[in-house]
Amino acid sequence: MRFGRMLVCGAMLIAAGAPVSTSVVLAGEKAADTRAGAKVDANEWSQRAWRIAKSGRFDDFVTYIHDLPEDPTIGADQRAEMERSVKLLDENFAKRDQKRVERIAEVNKELDERLQGDMTPQRLAKAMRSALELWVLSTDKPSVIEDARVKKLVADADAAARKSEQDGEWLVASEMFSLLNALLEESGQYKPDLERQSRRLTMIRMYTPQRLWEMRNDRLKAEGEKPLPPYNATGDDFHEKLKGIEQDMVVRAIARAADHVEQIPTRRLLIGGIIAIETMIATNDLHRAFPDLESQASKEAMLTALRTEREQLGTPKKNAFGRVAEPGVGEIDALLNRVLAVNDRTVKISREALLHEFGNGAIDQLDEFSAIIWPDELNRFNRTTQGKFVGVGVQIELDDQSNVRVVTPLEGTPAFRAGIRAGDIIKKIGGKSAYGMSIDQVVDHITGPDGTQVILSIDRPENDGAQTADALTGETGQPPAVDAAKADGAKAEVAKPDKKYREMEFAINRQLINVVSVKGWKRKGAREDSWDWFIDKDNHIGYVRLTQFSEKTAEELRRAVSQMQKEGLNGLVMDLRFNPGGYLDQAVQVANLFVDSGVVVAMQGPNGRAESPEMAKSNVAKLKSTPVVVLINEGSASASEIVSGTLQHYGKTGDVNVMILGQRSYGKGSVQKVFGLSDDAAMKLTMQYYAIPDAAAPGYRIIHRKPGAHEWGITPNLAVEMLPKQTTESILLRRNADVLPADADAASKTALPDPDKLLTDGLDLQLETAVQILRASTFGQRPGSNIQVLKDR
């Protein structure tokens, strides 16, 4: 995770928790902007409040809004409510800072304790987690890395990781490299090690999944933890997963990779493919799938042949013009033929498995978003990219006991009509036990061709006529929220052992499911578009949350905005946190609701020039003059970065009243195009980078995080940090508040969490700050009057 530094009321917390006096005044800003508001009217006061917040001067903003304007048009009740909300903001930030100090002290003590005694791998891992949490909590992150305890811990963890890899303790090595990479992520020094371990564990998961289950179970028992559920082999036959893989697929993919935006040499890809096979051969746990890997002589013969091929590729030959000649289609095919021939004489790995790993190893050299989409993966890939799929319409998760639990059915879907409820436990799918399945396996079994039937066997808690918040809490199956929850060690509520369940069976016909991507503040009923769109009714401040950019996102947002504008809209919070992106055309259309002219986004190819600009259309910018705060965080990626970055640019030029608040975004600004490799396989290849408008020369900037980069993504106008526990609690409350009532009358009877607690209890400081900025910037405005904010100076 990446957390920006947050300054509050002139004090900053360092690792030890001591306050340090600070003064925050930006060069060029007039001191009048932060003076008392007594001599200005409400409109001028509001404009100044907006400008101060937008400049990133949080301390000055808080100081400024404490002194309200003496405007006779402001009623006593309105003034009192503003004072109350400002006081609550003060209290909630003070509460966060106090919790930070307390938790830092606890973690420091915990780290000291964990560094005592015999440093077993388990103890090392726990100490590394403490160091990582200390780094996350600290406002002075370099000081944590330079801490003598942490420096020694990193050295010990490095040595333990490499020894574990030598000894074949793959889980230990993977965990240690993962923690090292998380702590020193910006340096990138442990990324290759982590990728190597991830590739090895992926191989074990593919070819000997029961062995991976055994390794994980043994690790849990050694640590005194609860063991895994019994191994479930459903869907784990690698022969089925590798069906349809052919040599031509790999050859075409490697040849097509020549069009990659970074123009990576083909020989580097081929070396990557060979190294992947070497890793496969060196992974002893794969002998259950490929018995000849137990023969040391066979392994040595194969490794020698691979080493020879790798050395030849590492010595490039030049053509008659003195240029390095990259292997063509014929040479790629010939290399694979030689590797396959040696394999057949030695370790006898199945042809499909070897091609699968060679292909993955080769394309992994490009970037993390380019990949071969194998025949077994094509349907799943289409599901995740189209914003629609054929299934029954349920959101699911794994609870603490590895049960498959329904988070909520989607309105109007077969599951909703059949009577599936939030909290139901899916025990069987088509007669096969779901216990022990991964989420992907469950999804694969529930989805299928349109019109076909699937039978779900359900356990429903007795006397569960009303849905309760307790029945809904747990580990979410939605990325990246699950990582936030698990990283913070959140405890999920689980069913009590003595709780009684009623067994039920549902025969449900699958159909095309369209996922609604625009949500509001509070549910009003059982329809997916039945929302209360106002987070602050009295001040006419709206709220929309875009979960992704699917096929109808812009249309859904347009309808929501129209509803709010009919009731009078003074300001809007647009929440793009944890939005992973989606369709480019939808990002352009969403931006066009704010911007009525100019470039929204362009493409930058290998030549470094911005080309093929997507332009805003006139007469569709419904929100051009409305003050809008856009929320982003490290989970905002791709299309959400295009929208937030473009709006930030036009906010700076004064063309729109938009500011960005939260934390720096993920930095996924690359364009993948999908190419067919056969009728049953495809490839996604990074061809370009997104380039968003920028006032500085040459007029554009890319947002993608390249290896070794220090700047990437979208940096908010105002950085507001939330503690990990706050993030976890806000995610769970927000998700549970979104659960769909079982029927049209259930909304008033359902005991679901109240999202207002995100503001009143200080759980979501980013959202609370956004609302307070909009309250200040629209102070004294009539519904829908839309103030005109001055351009930045």
Side-chain angles (χ1 to χ4, degrees):
M1 295 184 184
R2 307 173 193 94
F3 294 87
R5 180 170 295 177
M6 181 62 222
L7 303 176
V8 183
C9 302
M12 176 174 66
L13 296 174
I14 60 174
V20 178
S21 177
T22 63
S23 176
V24 186
V25 179
L26 295 187
E29 284 289 349
K30 295 184 177 180
D33 274 352
T34 55
R35 285 178 191 160
K39 296 182 180 180
V40 298
D41 63 21
N43 187 52
E44 184 181 348
W45 184 90
S46 295
Q47 292 185 44
R48 286 184 180 178
W50 175 266
R51 186 166 59 246
I52 294 168
K54 192 175 175 183
S55 70
R57 298 152 55 200
F58 185 82
D59 279 2
D60 287 349
F61 170 75
V62 172
T63 300
Y64 183 81
I65 61 176
H66 274 80
D67 195 358
L68 302 181
E70 297 296 339
D71 189 322
T73 64
I74 304 298
D77 289 345
Q78 190 175 6
R79 178 180 293 276
E81 177 57 27
M82 187 68 169
E83 290 172 345
R84 185 202 65 78
S85 64
V86 171
K87 181 181 178 183
L88 182 62
L89 186 71
D90 287 342
E91 292 172 350
N92 285 336
F93 270 98
K95 189 191 304 181
R96 180 204 66 176
D97 291 345
Q98 182 59 35
K99 287 182 177 179
R100 187 207 302 271
V101 171
E102 292 170 356
R103 185 58 187 155
I104 284 176
E106 292 170 356
V107 176
N108 266 312
K109 181 180 178 182
E110 187 180 84
L111 178 59
D112 286 335
E113 291 173 350
R114 288 176 172 177
L115 290 174
Q116 303 301 315
D118 184 21
M119 294 305 289
T120 63
Q122 291 85 353
R123 198 174 187 87
L124 262 177
K126 288 179 179 179
M128 280 294 297
R129 290 192 192 99
S130 294
L132 181 58
E133 185 178 358
L134 193 62
W135 182 86
V136 170
L137 289 167
S138 177
T139 58
D140 186 5
K141 296 185 183 343
S143 71
V144 175
I145 302 301
E146 291 302 315
D147 186 311
R149 297 172 303 169
V150 175
K151 291 178 79 170
K152 184 177 186 306
L153 179 60
V154 166
D156 290 345
D158 180 288
R162 300 193 188 284
K163 184 177 187 306
S164 296
E165 185 174 15
Q166 280 185 340
D167 296 343
E169 297 288 342
W170 314 125
L171 284 181
V172 174
S174 178
E175 179 182 30
M176 215 64 76
F177 281 129
S178 178
L179 290 166
L180 287 164
N181 183 68
L183 184 62
L184 302 170
E185 190 254 355
E186 290 199 15
S187 72
Q189 68 186 88
Y190 286 103
K191 188 176 181 181
D193 298 303
L194 180 59
E195 289 174 345
R196 182 177 64 255
Q197 296 309 316
S198 297
R199 184 179 300 121
R200 174 175 277 119
L201 288 177
T202 299
M203 290 178 187
I204 298 174
R205 176 71 185 87
M206 166 71 89
Y207 302 109
T208 55
Q210 187 168 359
R211 175 59 187 143
L212 183 60
W213 178 91
E214 291 168 358
M215 291 160 62
R216 288 174 171 164
N217 202 44
D218 291 343
R219 183 80 189 276
L220 288 172
K221 288 191 290 186
E223 294 179 356
E225 300 288 337
K226 179 183 175 182
L228 293 173
Y231 173 66
N232 188 338
T234 305
D236 273 353
D237 184 354
F238 75 86
H239 297 94
E240 290 295 318
K241 294 179 180 180
L242 298 180
K243 275 185 177 178
I245 292 180
E246 298 174 353
Q247 184 170 334
D248 282 350
M249 293 176 186
V250 179
V251 174
R252 292 191 191 110
I254 295 173
R256 170 63 73 177
D259 295 328
H260 189 269
V261 64
E262 293 293 345
Q263 302 287 280
I264 295 172
T266 301
R267 64 185 62 253
R268 179 171 154 189
L269 273 65
L270 296 175
I271 291 172
I274 290 172
I275 291 173
I277 301 302
E278 290 174 336
T279 299
M280 190 179 194
I281 293 167
T283 305
N284 297 330
D285 296 277
L286 297 180
H287 75 267
R288 294 188 185 183
F290 311 112
D292 284 270
L293 286 177
E294 289 194 282
S295 168
Q296 193 62 33
S298 296
K299 287 167 63 174
E300 286 298 332
M302 182 67 174
L303 288 171
T304 299
L306 292 173
R307 195 177 304 117
T308 299
E309 295 286 357
R310 184 155 49 84
E311 289 171 355
Q312 289 178 350
L313 287 167
T315 309
K317 298 177 182 177
K318 295 184 178 180
N319 58 22
F321 301 99
R323 297 174 182 170
V324 174
E326 291 298 324
V329 170
E331 292 167 290
I332 298 169
D333 194 48
L335 170 62
L336 281 172
N337 282 334
R338 292 195 298 272
V339 171
L340 288 166
V342 177
N343 172 71
D344 290 343
R345 296 194 303 269
T346 57
V347 290
K348 297 180 175 60
I349 295 170
S350 77
R351 178 185 181 88
E352 292 79 10
L354 190 140
L355 290 170
H356 183 270
E357 300 312 322
F358 189 99
N360 284 344
I363 303 305
D364 280 351
Q365 305 307 303
L366 300 174
D367 65 274
E368 61 183 303
F369 303 106
S370 296
I372 297 174
I373 306 159
W374 302 102
D376 178 63
E377 301 167 340
L378 192 58
N379 286 336
R380 191 180 304 129
F381 173 78
N382 289 334
R383 255 196 333 258
T384 57
T385 57
Q386 293 172 356
K388 57 186 181 182
F389 58 91
V390 175
V392 300
V394 288
Q395 181 184 343
I396 58 175
E397 65 182 4
L398 294 180
D399 68 12
D400 274 11
Q401 298 176 342
S402 298
N403 292 309
V404 180
R405 184 165 58 191
V406 175
V407 174
T408 184
L410 305 180
E411 181 264 331
T413 63
F416 182 76
R417 293 192 298 268
I420 298 292
R421 295 182 185 177
D424 284 348
I425 302 295
I426 300 176
K427 302 297 289 186
K428 294 181 181 179
I429 307 167
K432 295 180 179 178
S433 173
Y435 190 59
M437 284 188 184
S438 67
I439 287 292
D440 281 344
Q441 287 175 314
V442 174
V443 171
D444 286 344
H445 281 77
I446 291 179
T447 56
D450 194 2
T452 59
Q453 189 179 84
V454 61
I455 297 176
L456 299 183
S457 300
I458 298 292
D459 274 3
R460 176 171 297 167
E462 290 187 353
N463 303 318
D464 196 33
Q467 297 160 318
T468 65
D470 284 348
L472 301 173
T473 54
E475 177 186 281
T476 174
Q478 300 269 342
V482 62
D483 293 333
K486 292 182 76 173
D488 195 53
K491 297 294 184 183
E493 296 290 333
V494 298
K496 295 179 180 179
D498 58 349
K499 194 168 188 177
K500 294 182 179 179
Y501 288 86
R502 180 159 46 108
E503 295 182 8
M504 308 176 72
E505 195 168 272
F506 295 85
I508 307 175
N509 290 330
R510 301 177 176 102
Q511 73 173 42
L512 184 66
I513 307 296
N514 290 304
V515 179
V516 174
S517 59
V518 178
K519 300 179 183 293
W521 182 237
K522 287 183 183 178
R523 278 202 180 275
K524 292 171 63 177
R527 288 179 54 83
E528 281 291 346
D529 60 354
S530 182
W531 290 94
D532 180 349
W533 298 103
F534 286 95
I535 192 170
D536 183 341
K537 287 182 181 294
D538 292 338
N539 292 294
H540 293 262
I541 297 171
Y543 173 85
V544 289
R545 181 164 30 103
L546 278 58
T547 59
Q548 61 180 320
F549 287 85
S550 55
E551 285 186 332
K552 297 182 179 180
T553 296
E555 178 186 331
E556 292 169 14
L557 180 58
R558 202 174 291 116
R559 284 200 303 266
V561 169
S562 294
Q563 284 183 243
M564 287 183 274
Q565 289 179 334
K566 285 179 183 178
E567 298 181 45
L569 180 65
N570 280 355
L572 178 68
V573 177
M574 184 165 72
D575 196 340
L576 297 180
R577 292 174 298 177
F578 297 118
N579 183 320
Y583 286 113
L584 175 63
D585 68 318
Q586 294 300 300
V588 172
Q589 290 181 45
V590 166
N592 207 171
L593 287 172
F594 302 81
V595 181
D596 62 359
S597 64
V599 176
V600 174
V601 64
M603 309 297 169
Q604 179 180 298
N607 59 18
R609 294 193 298 269
E611 301 170 335
S612 307
E614 295 279 354
M615 307 296 293
K617 297 177 181 178
S618 59
N619 303 319
V620 295
K622 298 168 71 71
L623 293 165
K624 179 178 173 63
S625 61
T626 303
V628 178
V629 178
V630 179
L631 299 180
I632 63 170
N633 65 4
E634 67 277 10
S636 306
S638 192
S640 57
E641 294 179 284
I642 292 171
V643 170
S644 56
T646 299
L647 295 184
Q648 185 179 54
H649 167 73
Y650 287 108
K652 288 178 179 177
T653 63
D655 293 287
V656 296
N657 291 338
V658 176
M659 67 171 287
I660 314 300
L661 185 150
Q663 295 170 303
R664 180 165 60 174
S665 62
Y666 182 82
K668 197 280 183 186
S670 57
V671 185
Q672 284 76 45
K673 292 187 178 179
V674 179
F675 301 96
L677 299 177
S678 71
D679 291 340
D680 303 313
M683 175 190 191
K684 58 174 182 171
L685 180 66
T686 299
M687 304 282 288
Q688 297 166 306
Y689 294 121
Y690 291 124
I692 59 174
D694 187 80
Y700 294 90
R701 71 180 180 93
I702 65 170
I703 56 181
H704 192 70
R705 184 181 186 183
K706 294 184 177 182
H710 296 290
E711 294 185 9
W712 65 85
I714 307 303
T715 300
N717 298 90
L718 185 62
V720 176
E721 179 188 4
M722 290 169 58
L723 301 180
K725 187 175 178 61
Q726 290 176 315
T727 300
T728 298
E729 292 177 347
S730 64
I731 287 169
L732 293 177
L733 193 153
R734 179 71 265 178
R735 187 202 66 176
N736 295 338
D738 288 349
V739 169
L740 200 63
D743 55 62
D745 298 323
S748 61
K749 304 174 185 177
T750 300
L752 295 178
D754 183 355
D756 287 345
K757 290 185 177 181
L758 292 170
L759 306 178
T760 58
D761 294 3
L763 296 180
D764 193 338
L765 292 178
Q766 293 168 348
L767 180 59
E768 184 182 359
T769 304
V771 172
Q772 192 59 51
I773 289 170
L774 290 170
R775 284 172 179 156
S777 65
T778 60
F779 191 51
Q781 300 298 311
R782 298 183 307 278
S785 57
N786 287 165
I787 62 170
Q788 293 291 327
V789 178
L790 298 176
K791 292 184 180 182
D792 290 357
R793 293 180 294 174

